[in-house]
Amino acid sequence: MISLMVSTSEADGKAAMNFLPSVGSLVLLLFLFVQGLCDDCVRECHYGDYRICTYQFHVQEYHTLSRACYQCPDNAADCYRQDCIPADGVARPLLAVNRQLPGPAIQVCEGDRVVVDVFNDQLSDTETIHWHGHHMRRFQYYDGVPFITQCPIQKFFRYDFLATTPGTHWWHSHTGVHRAEGVFGAFVVRQTQDLYLDTYDVDSPDHVLVLQDWLHKSALEKFSGRHHHTQDDFASAILINGKGRNYTNMVDGFVETKTPLEVVMVTPKLRHRLRLINAGSLNCPLVVSVDNHTLTIIATDGEKIVPFTTNSLVIYSGERFDVVLKADQPVGNYWIRVNGLIDCEQNKCVQGAVLRYDGAPDNLPSAQLSFDSNYPPGVVVNPLNSGGASEEEVTLVELDAFKPSILKEKVDKQFFLAFNFNRINNSLLYHSGLYPYNGVTKEWHINSPQVNNLSFKAPLSPPLSQPMVQQPFCYYGEEPPCDGDYCSCTYVLEVALGETVEMVLVDEGTIGDENHPFHLHGYNFHVVAMERLGSETTVEEVKALDAAGGIKRKLKNPVKKDSVTIPDGGYTIVRFTADNPGWWLMHCHLSFHSELGMAAVLHVGQPSDLPPVPKGFPTCGAFT
Ligand SMILES: *[C@@H]1O[C@H](CO)[C@@H](O)[C@H](O)[C@H]1NC(C)=O
Ligand SMILES: *[C@@H]1O[C@H](CO)[C@@H](O)[C@H](O)[C@H]1NC(C)=O
Ligand SMILES: *[C@@H]1O[C@H](CO)[C@@H](O)[C@H](O)[C@H]1NC(C)=O
Ligand SMILES: *[C@@H]1O[C@H](CO)[C@@H](O)[C@H](O)[C@H]1NC(C)=O
Ligand SMILES: [Cu+2]
């Protein structure tokens, strides 16, 4: 094997590095481009080559189009300057890690040790970082959930763990709405022996596409405006690797800013592995397609699937898809289209990145980029609010895991979890004596996102690292504490280590046609069923249907994921073996929903099952 270091002169000045894995016993070519840092953990993975990969994350209040941007976007070259975050050309405050959007990508090999020093340079707010998709086995204390696994970071905290969950993952803040403000980035763990080497030729570190919805104001302003005033919660834009153009309301010819678009370079004839991540915070399922190309899905949330070729796919907040794109079209420029649904529809949010063949001119594709409320023609995988009603709508339950498995009929523990919006006097939003729900006009109504009619409340200190502190938990199956019609507590699902668990996740869908992307920390789970029953349903209805034999579970080769959508008015059923002890948050992955308490915590095992609390680990709690 040889590796070459070749500098390329790419128009947009991005690092270009291609891993061309050996097909059979062919030659490995490593095109390394060096501009600024060449992170030596980004590499082809080899047995015995384990490294310590260190990163420094400086979190700071920042701004798009800051002084670092000089004449960007009028002078496009200025947009590529260090510390310049052009976004879609609209100025807004944000929170950034190292003055980048997305924040720095972590790309390592399985088995590497990842050490991330978080410097909290914010004026007064705290921080935590969650490693989404990593199971944190043996490293439970670094899962990054404030008041569950650690105390909020005041000034400095070092995360230190082994990257043992291979695949396309990401990291993001788990504090407040910081993810929506910009605190996130890619986290890819490659493998020495990739069983998929013969399905693609190129796995470039540049072919990671972080997709997100985006606001034209701070997420905190949006949160307050939504929950304490009469504002909407609609997205303003979609960004691809932090780039885009302001296409808002571009129905008849868009107001085009000249900000750069993401460019994905491909080599004619070769098959390229693209890693898609939805880092979104609002309810914007994103439809991804590439003009004149199909996408072959080979993995989701880091787990391999039997390759499935589609025309488009829908990716929900928290999800990842690895797709192979074969550059088999005439040399040219093609749109990678990302079209937003639900809360991205009102402002017709669409974004494009350019798929550019080597040798193609530095032009935009000639096709029109326009918002579409329909899927592109052909097959769509992971469709919104659908149990796969038509031939062309393929749900995750219709796909097969690459690694065969046959699940047992019976599980040790079963939980029913109702996700719903409730019309209640949530004391965080109303005052039942002064301005109760039924005492204000409709435009002032805001409904509370809850799980089993409960709003999750964080405990005062993390039960994982401070197990001796008495906590007012409430448990699944018990009467919760309520204040009138508002019930709120630290909702805990208890499971013994090693038990098999089934969760029947129901989106009752009483209000509106939304959906909730569900995420579980510490695990991935088999997706054994998914269906939409109507515009609304209830847990009781789903239980009755199941008792009557009306729910078929896919127990043979179901796909494994850590993030999955629950269709509105329907259910998603997931299963896993609870072999990872700890306190694991499970929640709707929409920032506004989870911050308002659409969450619960899964408690697996006993303190004695856990590694010891790291020496000197910070503590926090109440004081009277
Ligand atoms: C973004 O697009 C909207 C709709 O066309 C327009 O009203 C707004 O002025 C644009 N913002 C900027 C900063 O260009
Ligand atoms: C791409 O597809 C469009 C629509 O089907 C077609 O009009 C166009 O000719 C195709 N482009 C190429 C380069 O084949
Ligand atoms: C909220 O509180 C008011 C005043 O106590 C009460 O009349 C009402 O039934 C409660 N619930 C809702 C949904 O308004
Ligand atoms: C939630 O509360 C409603 C109204 O009290 C009740 O009908 C429903 O059964 C409850 N749902 C769950 C899952 O407890
Ligand atoms: Cu939700």
Side-chain angles (χ1 to χ4, degrees), residues 558-577:
V559 299
K560 283 186 104 175
K561 287 176 67 64
D562 54 57
S563 306
V564 69
T565 181
I566 315 167
D568 180 273
Y571 58 80
T572 295
I573 305 181
V574 303
R575 286 188 175 196
F576 57 95
T577 301

Side-chain angles (χ1 to χ4, degrees), residues 107-318:
Q107 302 206 38
V108 300
C109 291
E110 188 179 14
D112 282 352
R113 179 171 162 196
V114 175
V115 181
V116 181
D117 284 349
V118 176
F119 297 84
N120 180 15
D121 296 342
Q122 297 172 87
L123 296 178
S124 60
D125 214 345
T126 60
E127 197 51 88
T128 55
I129 305 289
H130 168 58
W131 316 97
H132 189 121
H134 296 259
H135 299 166
M136 308 310 282
R137 236 172 256 275
R138 292 165 47 224
F139 301 97
Q140 283 85 342
Y141 302 99
Y142 301 107
D143 191 46
V145 183
F147 300 110
I148 300 294
T149 63
Q150 72 172 100
C151 299
I153 302 169
Q154 301 194 36
K155 275 320 224 184
F156 177 81
F157 186 88
R158 172 172 289 178
Y159 291 93
D160 188 344
F161 56 95
L162 292 180
T164 53
T165 321
T168 303
H169 307 303
W170 58 302
W171 57 265
H172 61 78
S173 171
H174 222 295
T175 297
V177 292
H178 290 190
R179 185 177 85 238
E181 308 283 27
V183 183
F184 60 83
F187 193 156
V188 174
V189 182
R190 292 192 171 78
Q191 285 179 294
T192 301
Q193 253 201 337
D194 193 324
L195 299 171
Y196 268 155
L197 282 191
D198 57 1
T199 64
Y200 60 88
D201 307 303
V202 182
D203 176 15
S204 165
D206 273 349
H207 288 171
V208 180
L209 296 176
V210 182
L211 318 175
Q212 63 170 118
D213 47 67
W214 188 238
L215 292 164
H216 284 164
K217 55 169 77 165
S218 86
L220 193 57
E221 186 183 340
K222 192 82 168 180
F223 181 87
S224 299
R226 173 68 175 157
H227 297 102
H228 301 289
H229 207 272
T230 56
Q231 285 181 32
D232 62 55
D233 57 356
F234 306 148
S236 314
I238 292 167
L239 301 178
I240 302 174
N241 285 347
K243 299 194 183 84
R245 289 186 177 176
N246 179 20
Y247 292 123
T248 311
N249 299 327
M250 40 146 278
V251 209
D252 321 296
F254 40 84
V255 183
E256 205 185 297
T257 49
K258 291 286 179 246
T259 41
L261 295 177
E262 180 67 0
V263 176
V264 175
M265 296 299 302
V266 291
T267 307
K269 307 274 188 294
L270 295 186
R271 297 162 304 169
H272 301 262
R273 180 179 187 160
L274 309 182
R275 298 169 183 267
L276 309 173
I277 300 165
N278 184 343
S281 291
L282 304 170
N283 198 359
C284 286
L286 301 175
V287 186
V288 182
S289 63
V290 181
D291 285 4
N292 304 84
H293 294 77
T294 55
L295 301 171
T296 301
I297 304 173
I298 60 168
T300 178
D301 297 358
E303 284 279 343
K304 298 178 176 68
I305 66 162
V306 172
F308 186 88
T309 300
T310 185
N311 300 93
S312 65
L313 62 88
V314 183
I315 181 168
Y316 302 85
S317 174

Side-chain angles (χ1 to χ4, degrees), residues 418 422 452-453 508 539-540:
N422 291 315
N452 286 352
N453 293 337
E508 296 191 324
V539 162
E540 295 316 314

Side-chain angles (χ1 to χ4, degrees), residues 292 329-330 334:
N292 304 84
Q329 293 296 304
Y334 300 85

